[in-house]
Amino acid sequence: DRDGYLAAAFVRIPNLEKLRLFGKYYYFDPNDDVRDDEYKTYLAGLSYDVSKEFMPFIAVEKREYETQTSKLKDYDKFQVGFQLKF
């Protein structure tokens, strides 16, 4: 068995309809039978709607593992990207 959930939201900035703040929170436990193997991920960013099909963004992501190992280490990541719909 495993557990996980996600909460996500975005807020449009008043008077700047194309600009939005967004955030996500993830919790994941890959194996309920094993202790201290879960992790949490936080993400916050800013995006701009150039058009309905194209939205560039910048974001900061932080992941925290319950127990760190040589393969699973906490990290902070800066992202620049875009969403493209077609």
Side-chain angles (χ1 to χ4, degrees):
D1 288 339
R2 58 183 157 222
D3 289 325
Y5 56 87
L6 161 70
F10 73 88
V11 177
R12 294 244 184 230
I13 298 174
N15 299 323
L16 297 171
E17 299 297 320
K18 294 184 175 202
L19 198 60
R20 74 176 99 187
L21 296 170
F22 64 89
K24 293 181 182 180
Y25 170 78
Y26 302 90
Y27 169 83
F28 188 64
D29 183 354
N31 188 343
D32 286 341
D33 297 328
V34 176
R35 290 176 44 95
D36 298 332
D37 67 338
E38 61 267 6
Y39 63 86
K40 299 172 186 169
T41 305
Y42 307 89
L43 183 99
L46 184 67
S47 66
Y48 184 79
D49 297 339
V50 175
S51 68
K52 288 183 178 182
E53 296 80 21
F54 184 66
M55 180 179 59
F57 67 87
I58 57 172
V60 175
E61 179 179 320
K62 179 178 186 65
R63 178 164 293 173
E64 297 176 347
Y65 290 94
E66 186 70 25
T67 301
Q68 295 187 53
T69 66
S70 60
K71 291 183 180 180
L72 304 174
K73 294 184 179 183
D74 291 352
Y75 67 80
D76 297 317
K77 180 173 30 174
F78 181 74
Q79 302 174 39
V80 176
F82 63 89
Q83 175 178 313
L84 180 64
K85 291 193 288 184
F86 55 93

